[in-house]
Amino acid sequence: QVQLVESGGGLVQPGGSLRLSCALSGSRLDDYAIGWFRQAPGKEREGVSCISAHNSMAFYADSVKGRFTTSRDNDNATVYLQMNSLEPGDTAVYYCAAALGTPSIWALTIAYDDWGQGTQVTVSS
């Protein structure tokens, strides 16, 4: 079991940017795929992005492709989600989650064993 702590959420205007961080403790980050999920009020939690274990391949939902970028810093045990060109539809609580190895279907919540507490992202003028 690992512990995950997200940070970096906040209020931003449409078109703006935010960078979320997910700090992992309790094990080696390199052994884990880290997924980013979001949940808006009244909606199901949806997969946003995933960075694979070991080779750091990145996967994105169609809704964020070209706007969001995920990266990892294994030395600092932190994964980042850079979010650009934010839209009101991106408003949600964002969660990071860890899976040992890389899930075959990265966007399924059940593929991940450990979750952070979430950070609120609000895109509004």
Side-chain angles (χ1 to χ4, degrees):
Q1 186 176 8
V2 298
Q3 293 75 46
L4 302 168
V5 177
E6 300 102 335
S7 61
L11 172 65
V12 64
Q13 292 187 342
S17 298
L18 282 175
R19 188 177 78 160
L20 304 184
S21 300
C22 174
L24 180 147
S25 60
S27 191
R28 279 167 38 92
L29 175 63
D30 193 43
D31 292 335
Y32 290 83
I34 302 297
W36 287 97
F37 291 78
R38 65 187 182 187
Q39 188 165 20
K43 295 188 176 181
E44 292 188 356
R45 194 169 296 189
E46 63 171 352
V48 173
S49 179
C50 174
I51 189 163
S52 67
H54 305 300
N55 62 7
S56 295
M57 288 185 64
F59 307 92
Y60 300 96
D62 288 343
S63 60
V64 306
K65 206 170 289 184
R67 301 188 296 123
F68 290 12
T69 304
T70 187
S71 60
R72 64 196 300 150
D73 179 348
N74 289 329
D75 291 340
N76 290 307
T78 302
V79 171
Y80 302 99
L81 183 67
Q82 178 68 42
M83 306 186 295
N84 298 328
S85 302
L86 283 161
E87 304 166 353
D90 296 317
T91 295
V93 177
Y94 282 70
Y95 300 88
C96 62
L100 190 61
T102 300
S104 56
I105 304 177
W106 67 266
L108 291 179
T109 58
I110 60 172
Y112 298 83
D113 300 310
D114 301 290
W115 291 78
Q117 82 288 355
T119 185
Q120 176 71 46
V121 171
T122 302
V123 185
S124 175
S125 55

